[in-house]
């Protein structure tokens, strides 16, 4: 399968997801006081977290595809699973912003990120298996120290989130924010030096 078609399809879906999130922004009621804006703070906070996460996700996905020479059928479906988990972000963002102190919305919001990470790791692994004979595929391997540290942090945050949300529901937003920071910080060193095919 041609990689550029997968990139175009993925970019279109990500753009739609971001558009849906923007359309969900609630307009503050009233014009004279900033308190109307402050009342919508939970949505803006959840929106910002989700927006940055989608940007980081797209960046990492771009890197994966830049290191990929061959895109198999199974990689195509793994990519679609990754997109499906991302498509749940606007829904989880809207729900958690309406009820930021409730466990169910916070768990749902957090689990969407967990499912996204699992789908990303699956896609990464399939691309590595499919492309390990090509130059550049070693960067897709999970055996690097950098990758192992990031996986450990992801698993640790998963445990903290699952337990923490039960006692303090807003931990879902907090842990999701920490996870996003790890994804931004853990960008591969050569990710800004990728040459265009």
């Amino acid at each position: 399968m041609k990689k550029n078609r997968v990139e175009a399809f993925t970019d279109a879906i990500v753009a739609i997801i971001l558009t849906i999130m923007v359309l969900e922004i609630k307009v503050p009621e009233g014009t004279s006081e900033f308190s109307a804006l402050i009342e919508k703070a939970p949505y803006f906070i959840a929106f910002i977290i989700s927006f940055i996460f989608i940007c980081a996700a797209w960046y990492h996905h771009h890197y994966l595809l830049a290191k990929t020479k061959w895109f198999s059928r199974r990689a195509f479906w793994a990519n679609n699973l990754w997109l499906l988990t991302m498509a749940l972000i606007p829904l989880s963002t809207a729900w958690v912003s309406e009820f930021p102190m409730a466990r169910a919305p916070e768990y749902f919001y957090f689990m969407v990120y967990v499912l996204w990470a699992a789908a990303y790791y699956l896609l990464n692994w399939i691309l590595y298996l499919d492309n390990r004979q090509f130059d550049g595929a070693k960067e897709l391997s999970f055996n690097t120290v950098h990758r192992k540290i990031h996986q450990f942090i992801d698993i640790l945050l998963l445990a903290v989130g699952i337990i923490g949300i039960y006692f303090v529901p807003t931990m879902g937003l907090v842990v999701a924010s920490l996870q996003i920071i790890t994804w931004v910080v853990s960008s591969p060193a050569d990710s800004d030096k990728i040459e265009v095919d």
Side-chain angles (χ1 to χ4, degrees):
M1 176 173 292
K2 290 187 178 180
K3 186 174 64 170
N4 61 348
R5 298 291 295 150
V6 176
E7 287 177 307
F9 177 74
T10 301
D11 289 351
I13 298 297
V14 171
I16 290 168
I17 291 168
L18 286 172
T19 301
I20 291 169
M21 280 184 43
V22 169
L23 293 175
E24 282 290 323
I25 293 177
K26 309 293 189 285
V27 177
E29 296 173 7
T31 59
S32 59
E33 297 180 19
F34 280 107
S35 60
L37 189 61
I38 292 169
E39 288 175 9
K40 301 298 181 184
Y43 186 80
F44 288 119
I45 291 168
F47 172 81
I48 290 167
I49 292 168
S50 298
F51 184 87
I52 294 170
F53 188 85
I54 291 172
C55 291
W58 181 90
Y59 188 86
H60 280 265
H61 186 270
H62 174 67
Y63 179 79
L64 281 184
L65 267 60
K67 295 295 182 179
T68 301
K69 301 293 183 192
W70 179 53
F71 211 89
S72 67
R73 185 185 317 130
R74 66 180 180 172
F76 172 74
W77 288 108
N79 190 70
N80 288 340
L81 176 63
W82 178 78
L83 287 170
L84 174 63
T85 60
M86 190 182 293
L88 294 172
I89 292 176
L91 172 62
S92 65
T93 301
W95 194 21
V96 80
S97 68
E98 288 291 323
F99 307 100
M101 301 304 290
R103 282 191 195 125
E106 288 283 351
Y107 269 122
F108 182 65
Y109 185 80
F110 182 68
M111 291 313 295
V112 165
Y113 286 96
V114 171
L115 292 172
W116 175 91
Y120 176 86
Y121 283 128
L122 174 66
L123 174 61
N124 192 151
W125 181 245
I126 289 172
L127 290 175
Y128 170 69
L129 293 178
D130 289 347
N131 291 272
R132 56 188 161 183
Q133 72 271 26
F134 299 116
D135 291 337
K138 64 181 179 183
E139 286 86 356
L140 299 174
S141 172
F142 289 108
N143 293 324
T144 65
V145 173
H146 174 77
R147 292 275 180 132
K148 286 180 179 178
I149 291 171
H150 189 241
Q151 289 170 20
F152 173 77
I153 292 170
D154 269 353
I155 292 169
L156 180 64
L157 288 175
L158 169 65
V160 169
I162 289 173
I163 296 167
I165 292 170
Y166 183 82
F167 297 102
V168 182
T170 53
M171 283 292 289
L173 288 168
V174 172
V175 175
S177 300
L178 293 173
Q179 187 182 23
I180 292 163
I181 291 168
T182 68
W183 280 89
V184 171
V185 171
S186 72
S187 298
D190 65 336
S191 63
D192 59 349
K193 299 178 179 70
I194 295 173
E195 295 180 13
V196 179
D197 291 338

